[in-house]
């Protein structure tokens, strides 16, 4: 035991093995407990020998680290070769993002957006060639019209005149508008972070009016009637783990009813889900299977249909879980008690946690975004203003609140945000519980994530158009109206994707060819880096990914901007509702643990009955999936922007524009990787 109060590491043998045949295996003896006890009796000579031995150990460890570093450097050429091979396969396959579009109107909209980006690309290439020719003609860079009188000199003089008189003022105006938006949005992020810091410092958290003794007193305690709904559509990969998790909720069975709301159009999936429900019914769970004959309105229509059942009037609260969510058994005991003696409370929202956040680079970057959303945005809004956007799942509603707000509506693709806004306008309050987590999955492929983000950013703009008159005429305070219109909708849903795409993907590269409208360094570098640092604070383990996160967020601004425009102006893709693809990875881990158990019992990931039948079904699904080959896509808009940014970086390098070159280069590379679908799940 050392003076610092910690035990020294015990004895043993440290084996250092070099893969290089020129090195041999060497055994290094570490300190043992006996050596420590005899430490007071050894002589100075022994001390010197031990110091020599420690020096030898340090030398071998340093040699080992140097060997590993050399191995990493040697693997770089192989990594680049593998990357080049992947790019070649993408290009040869010829699968573009336009192959999946069946709607002609949607295709025409995407084509116009793509044509706009191509115009800027061709213009930048033309200007780059023109600037290079001018460089060699005038033997240097000139930002004013030359005095010579040749034809090329006249053309260049006219270009400088047009650039100074017409292009630069327009770019400068747009840049200033975007900079103002950028600054306001950055201040909003800073205020949110300060609010989160204050919550942590003061240890502020919602407290229920029900003691633990009341919850442990059985049916005599606070156990109101709770309805649990699991809406799903073709969720073959995850339906078992979700149903099993909900059936294991610790709540009196007489006070709990589970509805499995299946909207699947695949007959096999319907039968599998129905069989799973019947298994849990035989085990004593109070669970029902519902399938709609007329499948309209997507998830909102599914929930609305379920709420119209006659027996719903007997229940006071409804908990909603999407098909990939796995609540812990004590979920209801940690959420429902907050409603007691709080008649103004309409919603209790729990935090999401992710079973596959370390699966690949894409899931790591998503985890950064969502960690900030839940840790900072939702928590601060819940504590200080009792309002936030319902996340669509892992929440408990007071049924009276849903009825008072008008019920579920199918008018947008964000039915969860819609019902939250209408409930807030009717005076209901919300509570967010940051310490109550519910596990779910993140999209592992860029295609699935792209579709999810399109729906998440087009829906709020549809909702803003529809709700603006109601917000203005609502009988709520001016501050709440300002918060909902400016902060909730405009600043965080519209301004963010607009300035991110316009400023960093269009204006910045164009200023390389119009140097009179140069952007300041603090806009390009300092503030984005600071905001990325603040965003990553709720997920400190993701700090090594801060640079990829900053670049990827700007890359995703293309999809978000396109979705925002589609939702705001009701274009073709605004009402596209695609179920996010699930992998069911969490169920695989639970299946392995279930097989390894000696005695059969219920597990959260799967149901216990008929395990062999379930294993055979999984094998059949895997064989069927292996026969149907999937391909990574090539995303044309991202590729066009990649070449635009790389062209601008070349122009920046030629004219020594400093930090702009590095940003444009790395941002162009990130667009290239995303355009070739080299991020996320890789398929053949």
């Amino acid at each position: 035991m050392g003076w610092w109060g910690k035990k020294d590491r015990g004895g043993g043998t440290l084996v250092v093995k070099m893969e290089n045949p020129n090195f041999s295996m060497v055994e290094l003896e570490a300190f043992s407990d006996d050596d420590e006890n005899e430490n007071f009796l050894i002589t100075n000579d022994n001390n010197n020998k031990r110091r020599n031995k420690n020096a030898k150990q340090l030398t071998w460890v340093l040699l080992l680290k140097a060997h590993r570093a050399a191995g990493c450097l040697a693997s770089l050429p192989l990594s680049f070769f593998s990357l080049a091979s992947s790019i070649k396969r993408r290009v040869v396959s010829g699968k573009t993002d336009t192959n999946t579009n069946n709607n002609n109107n949607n295709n025409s909209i995407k084509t116009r957006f793509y044509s706009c980006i191509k115009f800027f690309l061709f213009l930048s290439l033309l200007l780059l060639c023109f600037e290079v020719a001018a460089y060699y003609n005038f033997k240097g860079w000139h930002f004013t019209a030359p005095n010579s009188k040749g034809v090329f000199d006249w053309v260049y003089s006219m270009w400088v005149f047009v650039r100074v008189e017409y292009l630069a003022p327009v770019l400068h105006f747009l840049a200033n508008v975007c900079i103002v938006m950028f600054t306001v949005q950055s201040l909003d992020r800073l205020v949110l972070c300060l609010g989160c810091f204050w919550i942590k410092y003061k240890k502020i958290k919602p407290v229920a009016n029900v003691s633990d003794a009341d919850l442990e007193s059985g049916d005599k305690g606070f156990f109101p009637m709770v309805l649990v709904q699991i809406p799903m559509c073709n969720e073959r990969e995850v339906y078992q783990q979700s149903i099993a998790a909900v059936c294991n909720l610790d709540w009196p069975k007489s006070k709990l009813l589970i509805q499995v709301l299946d909207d699947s159009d695949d007959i096999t999936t319907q039968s599998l889900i129905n069989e799973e429900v019947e298994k849990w019914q035989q085990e004593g769970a109070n669970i029902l299977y519902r399938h709609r004959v007329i499948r309209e309105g997507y998830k909102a229509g599914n929930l609305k249909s379920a709420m119209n059942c006659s027996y719903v009037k007997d229940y006071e609260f409804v908990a909603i879980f999407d098909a990939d969510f796995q609540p812990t058994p004590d979920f209801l005991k940690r959420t429902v008690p907050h409603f007691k003696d709080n008649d103004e409370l309409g919603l209790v929202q729990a935090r999401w946690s992710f079973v596959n956040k370390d699966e690949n680079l894409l899931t790591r970057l998503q985890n950064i975004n969502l960690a900030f959303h839940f840790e900072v945005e939702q928590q601060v809004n819940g504590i200080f203003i009792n309002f936030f956007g319902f996340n669509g799942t892992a929440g408990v509603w007071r049924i009276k609140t849903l009825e008072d707000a008008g019920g579920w509506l199918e008018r947008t693709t964000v039915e969860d945000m819609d019902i939250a806004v209408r409930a807030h306008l009717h005076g209901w309050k919300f509570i967010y519980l940051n310490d109550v987590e519910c596990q779910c999955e993140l999209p592992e492929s860029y295609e699935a994530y792209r579709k999810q983000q399109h729906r998440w950013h087009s829906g709020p703009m549809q909702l803003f158009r529809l709700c603006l008159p109601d917000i203005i005429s609502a009988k709520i305070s001016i501050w709440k109206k300002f918060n909902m219109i400016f902060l909730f909708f405009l600043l965080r849903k519209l301004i963010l994707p607009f300035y991110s795409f316009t400023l960093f993907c269009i204006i910045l590269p164009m200023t390389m060819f119009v140097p009179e409208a140069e952007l300041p360094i603090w806009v390009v570098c300092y503030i984005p880096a600071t905001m990325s640092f603040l965003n990553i604070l709720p997920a400190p383990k993701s700090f090594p990914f801060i640079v990829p996160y900053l670049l990827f967020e700007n890359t995703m601004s293309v999809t978000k901007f396109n979705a925002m425009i589609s939702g705001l102006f009701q274009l073709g893709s605004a009402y596209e509702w695609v179920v996010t693809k699930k992998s069911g990875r969490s169920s695989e881990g639970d299946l392995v643990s279930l097989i390894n158990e000696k005695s059969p019992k219920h597990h959260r990931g799967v149901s216990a009955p008929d395990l062999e039948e379930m294993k055979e079904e999984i094998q059949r699904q895997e064989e069927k999936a292996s026969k149907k080959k999937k391909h990574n896509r090539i995303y044309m808009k991202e590729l066009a922007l990649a070449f635009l940014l790389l062209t601008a970086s070349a122009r920046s390098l030629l004219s020594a524009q400093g930090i702009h070159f590095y940003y444009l280069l790395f941002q162009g590379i990130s667009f290239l990787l995303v355009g070739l679908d080299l991020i996320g799940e890789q398929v053949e």
Side-chain angles (χ1 to χ4, degrees):
M1 182 77 68
W3 65 271
W4 52 86
K6 294 182 180 179
K7 293 185 71 175
D8 295 333
R9 285 178 289 183
T13 301
L14 172 65
V15 180
V16 180
K17 184 176 180 181
M18 298 294 187
E19 296 180 0
N20 193 318
N22 295 326
F23 294 93
S24 60
M25 185 182 297
V26 179
E27 293 187 359
L28 304 176
E29 295 181 358
F31 290 111
S32 66
D33 293 334
D34 294 336
D35 292 335
E36 183 182 5
N37 295 330
E38 296 173 2
N39 190 37
F40 297 99
L41 303 177
I42 60 176
T43 63
N44 291 333
D45 291 339
N46 290 336
N47 280 329
N48 293 332
K49 291 179 181 179
R50 189 172 299 282
R51 278 195 288 269
N52 292 335
K53 184 181 292 185
N54 290 340
K56 290 181 180 180
Q57 291 178 0
L58 178 62
T59 302
W60 278 110
V61 171
L62 292 176
L63 284 174
L64 179 61
K65 291 184 177 295
H67 180 72
R68 289 177 177 174
C72 293
L73 292 176
S75 65
L76 286 178
L78 183 61
S79 300
F80 283 117
F81 178 77
S82 176
L83 179 61
S85 300
S86 299
I87 293 174
K88 181 180 178 181
R89 288 197 299 270
R90 298 291 187 276
V91 176
V92 170
S93 66
K95 301 287 185 179
T96 66
D97 55 333
T98 57
N99 296 135
T100 57
N101 297 326
N102 299 321
N103 190 304
N104 294 330
N105 188 22
N106 191 17
N107 277 333
S108 62
I109 294 165
K110 291 181 179 295
T111 302
R112 288 196 296 270
F113 187 56
Y114 176 50
S115 300
C116 180
I117 297 177
K118 285 198 298 183
F119 167 76
F120 285 105
L121 171 60
F122 294 146
L123 178 62
S124 64
L125 287 172
L126 179 63
L127 293 177
L128 178 61
C129 296
F130 191 65
E131 293 286 347
V132 171
Y135 173 82
Y136 286 105
N137 185 61
F138 303 125
K139 295 181 174 56
W141 298 107
H142 295 269
F143 299 107
T144 58
N147 296 323
S148 5
K149 297 181 180 180
V151 175
F152 185 83
D153 304 334
W154 179 83
V155 173
Y156 189 78
S157 299
M158 292 301 298
W159 158 241
V160 173
F161 174 77
V162 171
R163 192 174 72 190
V164 173
E165 296 294 330
Y166 299 102
L167 297 182
V170 175
L171 274 180
H172 190 67
F173 173 76
L174 291 176
N176 286 338
V177 172
C178 290
I179 289 174
V180 171
M181 294 181 180
F182 182 36
T183 306
V184 174
Q185 199 270 339
S186 299
L187 288 175
D188 175 60
R189 286 292 176 100
L190 181 60
V191 170
L192 287 174
C193 290
L194 291 176
C196 183
F197 172 77
W198 182 257
I199 292 172
K200 296 293 183 182
Y201 177 71
K202 291 293 185 178
K203 298 181 180 180
I204 303 173
K205 58 182 297 186
V207 179
N209 293 323
V210 180
S211 63
D212 294 337
D214 292 335
L215 292 175
E216 297 299 330
S217 59
D219 292 340
K220 297 180 181 179
F222 180 72
F223 290 99
M225 301 288 285
V226 177
L227 177 68
V228 179
Q229 296 178 333
I230 314 176
M232 58 179 64
C233 180
N234 297 322
E235 308 278 5
R236 178 177 294 193
E237 296 84 2
V238 293
Y239 71 92
Q240 288 174 314
Q241 63 195 40
S242 177
I243 294 175
V246 171
C247 288
N248 282 320
L249 287 172
D250 187 8
W251 200 259
K253 292 183 179 180
S254 60
K255 302 293 185 70
L256 182 69
L257 175 64
I258 303 169
Q259 288 180 320
V260 177
L261 312 177
D262 182 25
D263 254 7
S264 304
D265 55 5
D266 179 62
I267 298 178
T268 304
T269 304
Q270 294 176 22
S271 60
L272 288 173
I273 297 175
N274 193 17
E275 289 175 4
E276 184 72 13
V277 170
E278 291 177 354
K279 292 175 185 176
W280 283 102
Q281 286 176 344
Q282 295 173 2
E283 294 295 316
N286 192 11
I287 184 172
L288 300 175
Y289 174 83
R290 297 189 80 255
H291 182 271
R292 292 193 298 165
V293 178
I294 303 176
R295 300 169 56 252
E296 293 181 350
Y298 302 112
K299 181 180 176 181
N302 197 1
L303 294 172
K304 182 178 180 180
S305 174
M307 293 300 294
N308 289 331
C309 295
S310 58
Y311 52 79
V312 172
K313 67 179 184 296
D314 298 328
Y315 293 84
E316 188 176 356
F317 304 102
V318 55
I320 302 173
F321 301 100
D322 283 350
D324 60 317
F325 278 74
Q326 306 170 60
T328 56
D330 63 346
F331 181 88
L332 293 180
K333 285 187 174 182
R334 300 179 68 183
T335 54
V336 175
H338 287 272
F339 289 97
K340 185 179 181 182
D341 300 330
N342 193 352
D343 296 335
E344 295 181 345
L345 182 61
L347 167 67
V348 175
Q349 172 72 59
R351 178 175 180 161
W352 298 3
S353 60
F354 311 104
V355 296
N356 61 337
K357 62 182 179 181
D358 298 324
E359 185 63 30
N360 54 43
L361 178 60
L362 179 62
T363 58
R364 291 177 184 272
L365 299 179
Q366 292 178 68
N367 180 56
I368 296 173
N369 247 348
L370 291 171
F372 182 87
H373 170 70
F374 286 106
E375 183 81 18
V376 180
E377 289 184 9
Q378 298 290 76
Q379 186 171 206
V380 170
N381 290 329
I383 292 294
F384 291 106
I385 60 178
N386 298 121
F387 168 71
F388 47 82
F390 175 46
N391 293 117
T393 177
V396 182
W397 281 94
R398 190 189 297 271
I399 294 181
K400 182 181 177 181
T401 303
L402 297 178
E403 296 172 348
D404 188 32
W408 297 101
L409 300 179
E410 307 98 321
R411 56 182 182 173
T412 69
T413 58
V414 283
E415 72 293 326
D416 46 6
M417 186 182 294
D418 187 1
I419 192 70
V421 169
R422 287 184 281 119
H424 182 62
L425 294 180
H426 282 78
W428 292 97
K429 295 181 179 180
F430 303 163
I431 282 181
Y432 171 74
L433 302 178
N434 191 56
D435 57 344
V436 180
E437 297 185 2
C438 189
Q439 285 192 336
C440 62
E441 280 191 44
L442 290 167
E444 295 182 9
S445 68
Y446 178 70
E447 181 181 5
Y449 179 62
R450 192 169 181 253
K451 291 178 179 178
Q452 180 199 70
Q453 291 300 302
H454 187 280
R455 175 166 56 87
W456 283 6
H457 285 81
S458 65
M461 291 300 98
Q462 305 169 29
L463 183 61
F464 178 65
R465 293 177 62 260
L466 296 170
C467 286
L468 183 58
D470 296 332
I471 296 173
I472 295 174
S473 61
K475 296 179 180 180
I476 56 177
S477 65
I478 298 296
W479 156 244
K480 290 184 177 181
K481 293 182 180 181
F482 171 81
N483 171 72
M484 186 168 289
I485 294 176
F486 181 73
L487 296 179
F488 185 75
F489 277 113
L490 292 181
L491 189 60
R492 297 167 188 166
K493 303 297 187 298
L494 187 147
I495 290 178
L496 177 59
F498 176 80
Y499 85 73
S500 182
F501 170 75
T502 307
L503 185 62
F504 294 108
C505 299
I506 299 297
I507 294 178
L508 178 59
M510 294 311 298
T511 56
M512 296 300 101
F513 304 99
V514 186
E516 293 81 4
E518 182 180 3
L519 290 176
I521 285 288
W522 61 271
V523 173
V524 180
C525 180
Y526 299 144
I527 289 189
T530 304
M531 290 301 105
S532 297
F533 177 76
L534 292 177
N535 284 357
I536 213 168
L537 283 179
K541 293 183 179 179
S542 302
F543 187 78
F545 301 94
I546 186 170
V547 174
Y549 168 74
L550 173 61
L551 298 174
F552 182 70
E553 280 302 293
N554 288 336
T555 305
M556 283 304 300
S557 66
V558 183
T559 299
K560 295 176 181 178
F561 179 83
N562 188 24
M564 183 264 294
I565 294 297
S566 299
L568 192 62
F569 297 102
Q570 289 186 302
L571 301 180
S573 57
Y575 294 95
E576 182 181 5
W577 212 107
V578 180
V579 177
T580 304
K581 177 187 172 184
K582 316 294 191 312
S583 64
R585 291 187 180 276
S586 53
S587 62
E588 293 177 5
D590 292 333
L591 177 61
V592 172
S593 64
L594 183 59
I595 294 175
N596 292 333
E597 290 289 337
K598 295 181 180 179
S599 59
K601 57 182 180 180
H602 293 310
H603 285 256
R604 291 177 55 236
V606 292
S607 59
D610 297 334
L611 177 61
E612 294 299 327
E613 180 183 347
M614 184 190 66
K615 290 166 57 181
E616 293 175 359
E617 179 60 32
I618 292 176
Q619 292 176 354
R620 288 196 297 269
Q621 294 175 9
E622 291 177 349
E623 292 175 358
K624 184 178 179 180
S626 62
K627 294 179 182 178
K628 184 179 179 181
K629 295 262 182 170
K630 297 181 293 182
H631 297 274
N632 290 85
R633 300 283 173 182
I634 295 179
Y635 299 96
M636 304 305 295
K637 290 192 292 292
E638 283 80 357
L639 279 183
L641 277 167
F643 294 127
L644 169 63
L645 291 163
L646 292 175
T647 303
S649 69
R651 175 63 177 84
S652 176
L653 179 63
L654 291 174
S655 58
Q657 290 283 344
I659 195 69
H660 298 78
F661 162 72
Y662 297 102
Y663 172 81
L664 291 167
L665 175 64
F666 290 119
Q667 190 65 73
I669 292 175
S670 68
F671 267 103
L672 184 64
L673 295 177
V674 171
L676 294 172
D677 202 3
L678 293 173
I679 182 173
E681 178 190 29
Q682 301 300 305
V683 296
E684 295 182 359

